[in-house]
Amino acid sequence: MTAPLTPPHQPSPHDHHRPEPLPEPPGSDGAPGTAAELRQSAVVVAVSVVAGAVLGLLWLWLAPRIQLFSDGKAVFLKDSEGESAIGTDGTFVLLALGFGALAALLVFLIHRHGGIALVLGLAAGGVLGSLLGWGVGVWLGPERNVVAHAKAVGPDVTFDAPLRLDMWAAAMLAWPIAAMVVHLALTALFGPRDPEPEDGPWPPEPKSATP
């Protein structure tokens, strides 16, 4: 009498089977971890601050000048009906909007899986860059002491007024608002999509051996 053989459809108890690897859990789409996002956000802030100096130089170059003159006793506007002051603010705001949109585009192209840390980095970098750009333009621009400048050039001589921002609050927010809006739009249109949920429980239940 021979011992019963193992049916061909059942595994032998002496065989060693490797467990089947579980599928990759949903949502792991290559997005960076929290530490990596914080490092990326710090880089975005640093680059934005450097770009703020470029913003200040462009503002100094492109902004219209306000002409002043002195009669020896007081300082007057050469063109009292001019719109140079509005043009100075408008130039800064337009430049800041462009810098914000460009920053958002670059961040999206480099870090397509960026999260909330990158968005906050764009906002903080935009504010800091705008503040630095404002400071650079004012510091490198015409003399800020109007009275001393008028005395130096003499009476009836036209000179440039210092750069200033009358709508400074709106100017400081133009860059971060543009950056966040553009980044949100790019993420909504071209960002990675979440995987479709699979049917059944997760993780999948292990298959039981047929008796």
Side-chain angles (χ1 to χ4, degrees), residues 111-160:
H111 306 295
R112 193 172 292 261
H113 294 278
I116 187 63
L118 278 177
V119 177
L120 294 177
L122 279 172
V127 173
L128 295 176
S130 298
L131 288 172
L132 180 61
W134 182 16
V136 168
V138 172
W139 182 52
L140 296 179
E143 173 63 42
R144 298 187 296 276
N145 191 334
V146 176
V147 175
H149 196 180
K151 291 180 179 179
V153 299
D156 299 325
V157 177
T158 302
F159 59 95
D160 293 335

Side-chain angles (χ1 to χ4, degrees), residues 136-194:
V136 168
V138 172
W139 182 52
L140 296 179
E143 173 63 42
R144 298 187 296 276
N145 191 334
V146 176
V147 175
H149 196 180
K151 291 180 179 179
V153 299
D156 299 325
V157 177
T158 302
F159 59 95
D160 293 335
L163 286 179
R164 54 179 294 177
L165 286 176
D166 293 329
M167 300 183 298
W168 64 269
M172 295 301 105
L173 294 177
W175 182 335
I177 289 177
M180 289 188 292
V181 169
V182 172
H183 189 272
L184 178 62
L186 291 174
T187 303
L189 293 174
F190 308 108
R193 298 292 185 266
D194 293 332

Side-chain angles (χ1 to χ4, degrees), residues 35-176:
E37 282 192 5
L38 292 177
R39 289 193 298 269
Q40 294 169 0
S41 177
V43 172
V44 170
V45 173
V47 174
S48 298
V49 171
V50 175
V54 180
L55 169 64
L57 294 176
L58 289 176
W59 180 46
L60 176 62
W61 179 36
L62 298 175
R65 295 291 188 265
I66 300 175
Q67 300 293 314
L68 304 176
F69 74 96
S70 172
D71 62 354
K73 298 180 181 180
V75 179
F76 303 93
L77 286 171
K78 183 177 181 181
D79 185 5
S80 58
E81 298 181 357
E83 299 180 352
S84 298
I86 299 177
T88 301
D89 285 31
T91 301
F92 189 96
V93 170
L94 290 176
L95 288 172
L97 290 174
F99 271 68
L102 180 60
L105 177 61
L106 292 177
V107 167
F108 176 77
L109 293 177
I110 297 173
H111 306 295
R112 193 172 292 261
H113 294 278
I116 187 63
L118 278 177
V119 177
L120 294 177
L122 279 172
V127 173
L128 295 176
S130 298
L131 288 172
L132 180 61
W134 182 16
V136 168
V138 172
W139 182 52
L140 296 179
E143 173 63 42
R144 298 187 296 276
N145 191 334
V146 176
V147 175
H149 196 180
K151 291 180 179 179
V153 299
D156 299 325
V157 177
T158 302
F159 59 95
D160 293 335
L163 286 179
R164 54 179 294 177
L165 286 176
D166 293 329
M167 300 183 298
W168 64 269
M172 295 301 105
L173 294 177
W175 182 335

